[in-house]
């Protein structure tokens, strides 16, 4: 067995996911159709293929301890000039995403991962394209809004063709918080 490149993320559901993916492609981002629209919890990470069952067991444990929370996207942001990325901002659900990604990347777990930059939940809509197209993405999506109840996350594998494919979904085990409940309170996604 060799190694595989995995990632863990919260999918942006339909119709928002396809809409943002089409917009990303329209801005000239060639990777748009190979990357499902998402909020990252574990960035691309190389692991031994033999460790995938342990990774899945760990993710199932994290999900079982969690509960659904409201997610809301609103407006745009950018990591430029540090990184050539324009994104849609996560304005509700960011704290829960931050806690989840800490659990997923647990140093004692099967997929520990140090981050190159501090964690900042977001939905990428342009990456590594020319500045004019990045500016256009930033401006055109400045008024973008979407919301949904986040009910879990998924494990993905990047194929040799560069396309990310879902391996398994991990639904939360706790009760659902209705979207109208407002912001997530500290501790709604338990820290282990």
């Amino acid at each position: 067995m060799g190694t595989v490149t995995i990632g863990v993320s919260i999918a942006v559901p339909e119709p928002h996911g396809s809409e943002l993916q089409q917009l990303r492609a329209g801005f000239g981002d060639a990777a748009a159709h190979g990357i499902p629209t998402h909020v990252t919890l574990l960035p691309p990470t190389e692991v031994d293929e033999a460790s995938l069952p342990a990774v899945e067991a760990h993710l199932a444990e994290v999900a079982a301890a969690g509960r659904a929370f409201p997610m809301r996207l609103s407006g745009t942001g950018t990591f430029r000039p540090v990184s050539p990325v324009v994104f849609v901002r996560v304005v509700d659900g960011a704290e829960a995403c931050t806690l989840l990604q800490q659990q997923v990347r647990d140093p004692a777990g099967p997929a520990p991962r140090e981050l190159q930059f501090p964690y900042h939940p977001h939905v990428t809509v342009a990456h590594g394209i020319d500045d004019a197209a990045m500016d256009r993405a930033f401006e055109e999506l400045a008024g973008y809004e979407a919301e949904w109840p986040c009910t879990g996350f998924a494990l993905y594998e990047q194929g040799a063709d560069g396309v990310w494919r879902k391996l398994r979904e991990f639904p939360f085990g706790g009760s659902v918080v209705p979207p109208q409940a407002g912001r997530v309170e500290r501790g709604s996604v338990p820290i282990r």
Side-chain angles (χ1 to χ4, degrees):
M1 290 192 152
T3 61
V4 293
T5 300
I6 62 168
V8 177
S9 63
I10 296 169
V12 175
E14 297 305 330
H16 316 297
S18 293
E19 178 183 34
L20 288 172
Q21 190 174 47
Q22 291 300 329
L23 288 164
R24 183 173 179 173
F27 297 132
D29 191 329
H33 291 295
I35 304 172
T37 308
H38 68 282
V39 176
T40 300
L41 298 177
L42 176 71
T45 302
E46 194 171 287
V47 298
D48 289 329
E49 192 172 0
S51 71
L52 279 178
V55 170
E56 289 188 24
H58 172 68
L59 296 176
E61 185 179 311
V62 170
R67 70 177 198 189
F69 55 91
M71 287 280 288
R72 186 167 69 90
L73 308 178
S74 180
T76 52
T78 184
F79 295 130
R80 294 185 293 174
V82 175
S83 182
V85 173
V86 170
F87 57 86
V88 174
R89 297 179 311 121
V90 175
V91 295
D92 287 335
E95 183 177 343
C97 290
T98 299
L99 295 173
L100 273 174
Q101 64 87 29
Q102 289 170 343
Q103 293 174 336
V104 167
R105 295 185 308 103
D106 185 340
R113 170 71 194 264
E114 289 295 321
L115 299 179
Q116 184 178 359
F117 303 105
Y119 182 74
H120 182 86
H122 65 280
V123 176
T124 299
V125 290
H127 180 232
I129 57 178
D130 69 68
D131 282 338
M134 299 275 272
D135 292 342
R136 199 177 99 212
F138 187 87
E139 292 164 13
E140 287 184 19
L141 292 173
Y144 188 83
E145 297 278 337
E147 61 183 287
W148 69 93
C150 177
T151 58
F153 54 84
L155 172 65
Y156 293 82
E157 180 180 343
Q158 187 178 35
D161 57 1
V163 174
W164 287 91
R165 293 174 180 85
K166 188 186 313 178
L167 295 179
R168 181 174 165 194
E169 291 186 18
F170 297 89
F172 293 132
S175 60
V176 175
V177 176
Q180 65 271 22
R183 298 192 186 279
V184 175
E185 294 180 11
R186 189 163 203 64
S188 64
V189 179
I191 298 176
R192 288 183 292 138

